[in-house]
Amino acid sequence: PFVEEMLGDSPLAREFRERFQIHVIPLVNADGVDLGHWRHNTGGVDLNRDWVAFHQPEPQAVRDEARRFMAQPGSELWFFADFHSTGHDVFYTLDRSLETKPAGVTDRWLDHLRTALPDYEVNDSPTTLESTPQARNWVYRDFDRAPGLVYEVGDDTDPALIRRVAEEAARGTMRILLDELLKVEAGGGR
């Protein structure tokens, strides 16, 4: 639903796509998931912990593709979201002591969810870069302090709620980044 909202026909989505590129990797661990594994590929390796050493072909492919499109002139990464599944809904965000570019996007994103879905508990769990070698941490380090988060969807979360949260998260992402772009264009810098 997050991607569907961004690729939809709303005025917000159309404006966003005119100003930003969206890169979607639908499933990094397709073979492992097919065998019933959350995190481990068919070789038994936890791909969520291979974003520093890059020993496995799946994170290597994502890294190489991201570096390829980020090498294009004028490319900047302004937001990264990594979707997972676990026991309960949680947003693993970066520790707020870390400076991001653009600044404050994650807090505005979480605030958007809290405002748009007042009955939904936004479980924010900030972690340090050293806590785990996750994709979010790699993105921050490799792409000029880009803000990012891991959105863990609860296995037992009602599918209708998952849809509502994902759609609002996409709308918040688009609005916040468009607002940020307006500030840059007005001379406020990134």
Side-chain angles (χ1 to χ4, degrees):
F2 184 92
V3 174
E4 290 169 359
E5 188 69 25
M6 289 190 132
L7 299 179
D9 198 37
S10 72
L12 177 61
R14 286 192 312 269
E15 179 184 3
F16 186 78
R17 290 192 310 270
E18 288 173 9
R19 309 300 304 274
F20 288 91
Q21 287 185 3
I22 304 166
H23 295 272
V24 177
I25 300 166
L27 183 60
V28 173
N29 189 22
D31 58 348
V33 170
D34 192 50
L35 293 176
H37 304 300
W38 269 9
R39 299 157 63 129
H40 298 87
N41 65 5
T42 55
V45 176
D46 182 348
L47 298 179
N48 293 339
R49 303 297 181 259
D50 190 38
W51 292 92
V52 171
F54 292 96
H55 291 299
Q56 298 302 301
E58 300 91 342
Q60 289 171 9
V62 173
R63 176 200 61 202
D64 295 348
E65 181 64 10
R67 286 179 175 168
R68 184 189 68 73
F69 61 73
M70 289 302 296
Q72 298 171 12
S75 292
E76 295 179 272
L77 183 62
W78 282 28
F79 187 71
F80 174 81
D82 189 4
F83 296 88
H84 289 243
S85 170
T86 192
H88 60 282
D89 289 17
V90 61
F91 300 94
Y92 290 110
T93 58
L94 289 166
D95 184 296
R96 297 313 192 278
S97 66
L98 296 169
E99 177 189 341
T100 60
K101 287 175 57 181
V105 167
T106 301
D107 285 330
R108 286 181 276 163
W109 191 86
L110 293 168
D111 288 345
H112 171 83
L113 285 179
R114 288 183 185 104
T115 301
L117 302 167
D119 296 332
Y120 176 72
E121 180 185 353
V122 175
N123 184 2
D124 175 21
S125 183
T127 55
T128 65
L129 291 174
E130 292 75 29
S131 63
T132 56
Q134 298 173 333
R136 177 210 60 200
N137 299 353
W138 164 70
V139 163
Y140 178 84
R141 286 184 179 115
D142 266 33
F143 299 112
D144 198 21
R145 299 180 307 236
L149 55 87
V150 177
Y151 174 15
E152 296 267 9
V153 178
D155 292 334
D156 296 323
T157 302
D158 176 39
L161 179 58
I162 292 171
R163 177 167 286 284
R164 286 180 45 228
V165 173
E167 289 169 348
E168 279 303 330
R171 286 191 281 271
T173 300
M174 292 184 288
R175 182 77 273 146
I176 291 162
L177 294 181
L178 283 167
D179 289 348
E180 193 66 31
L181 183 60
L182 288 174
K183 285 195 286 189
V184 168
E185 290 174 344
R190 183 178 139 191

